[in-house]
Each structure stands twice: as structure tokens, then as C-alpha cells.
Amino acid sequence: MRAALALALLLAGCSGNQPRENAAQPQDLESAAIERGLVRDPKDTGIVGLYARDTDRICIVPAGDGYRIGAYVDYGERITCSGAGSVTRVGEVLHIRLGDKDACSFDARFDGDHIRFPGALPEGCTAFCARRASYAGLEVSRLSESTAEARAMRDAAGRRLCGE
């Protein structure tokens, strides 16, 4: 008798797997964090500003109908990369072109606070680098949304990469 009662309770507990009509659909963690204001929504965030990590820097400023970008990395001992060009944005993707030609064009990721360059870049990007330096895998965080601060960023030679 006890075994039958235990079996009946066990089966009753299993019937709770049926979806409830009022149950909310599960959200991914990023959407939930954006909804609660814990993480910026990249769709609502402008890209203009100054970004950095250690000695690596990126500046983005308005330029005509688009944006100008400057990128500088410094590994010490004159192992650096320094270049400027243009950037356009589609959602979370930044299409970056350093220089005047398409030899160094690639897509980077933007999440509202961070910019991440891909781990493999076109061969043409080496023209902006000295010795063993590379932009590959560059990741920076936003320091400022100020256009003036972004324009003031300089590389090791004192060039303003996002200046006028």
C-alpha cells in the first residue's frame, strides 16, 4: 500500500513538466542583463570616444558622413603599430579600413563598451606595424565618450591619429 502511494506521488510530481500558458519565454543572459540595465545595449550606444587597455589605444571621431578611427599598440622597445582610417558600423560589427586603400580592411566586434579586433588580419595591416607588432586580437575598453579626448590621442611619434 505504501509503495502504491509513493508511486502515485512520484507520478503526480512528473506531470508538472507541461508548459504553462502564462510562462514567459526564457531569455539569453545578455538580453536579460541589457533589460535590467546591467550591460549597455550596443544598438543604443554610439561608437565615438577613446578606448584603451594598457598601452593600446583606439580613438573614433565623427568625420563627414562617417567616422575616423586611429589605432595604436605599443609593446615597448619600438615594437608598435600606428594607423588611421575610416570605420562604419552595422549593429555590433565595425568595418574598419586603415589607410587609404583596402589592403587593411576587416570587421571588428563592438558590444557598447569594448572593441575586439579579429585574431587574424589581412597581410596589408603589417604596413602599419614595426618589427613583430600586430593589431591581431587587439581588445580595448571605452575610457571616454568625449570627441575632444579622442581627437587628442597621440601615438609614440606624437601624431594625432584622430585629429583634424
Side-chain angles (χ1 to χ4, degrees):
M1 183 85 169
R2 282 188 175 171
L5 182 60
L7 183 58
L9 288 174
L10 183 62
L11 290 175
C14 292
S15 68
N17 289 339
Q18 306 235 347
R20 290 180 274 165
E21 289 183 32
N22 295 345
Q25 294 295 324
Q27 275 186 311
D28 64 88
L29 289 177
E30 183 178 2
S31 297
I34 289 169
E35 185 177 294
R36 288 172 180 76
L38 300 172
V39 176
R40 283 185 186 212
D41 187 347
K43 292 179 279 209
D44 296 335
T45 305
I47 62 173
V48 171
L50 180 62
Y51 301 79
R53 185 184 78 191
D54 297 327
T55 57
D56 303 337
R57 303 272 187 267
I58 291 179
C59 56
I60 300 177
V61 297
D65 292 339
Y67 298 94
R68 178 171 177 79
I69 186 170
Y72 173 69
V73 298
D74 184 357
Y75 296 103
E77 300 182 23
R78 290 187 259 179
I79 302 171
T80 63
C81 294
S82 180
S86 62
V87 59
T88 56
R89 177 182 178 190
V90 177
E92 294 182 20
V93 176
L94 300 179
H95 181 70
I96 297 171
R97 188 184 84 190
L98 295 178
D100 296 331
K101 300 180 177 114
D102 286 331
C104 185
S105 292
F106 57 91
D107 290 338
R109 303 294 299 169
F110 175 70
D111 70 5
D113 282 318
H114 305 91
I115 297 174
R116 293 175 181 88
F117 282 17
L121 294 173
E123 184 67 30
C125 294
T126 60
F128 298 96
C129 299
R131 301 166 74 185
R132 302 179 313 268
S134 172
Y135 285 124
L138 174 63
E139 182 177 331
V140 291
S141 301
R142 186 188 300 266
L143 290 181
S144 169
E145 295 180 18
S146 167
T147 300
E149 287 181 21
R151 286 192 198 286
M153 186 189 94
R154 297 177 186 268
D155 67 6
R159 292 182 300 239
R160 293 171 70 194
L161 299 179
C162 286
E164 294 178 347

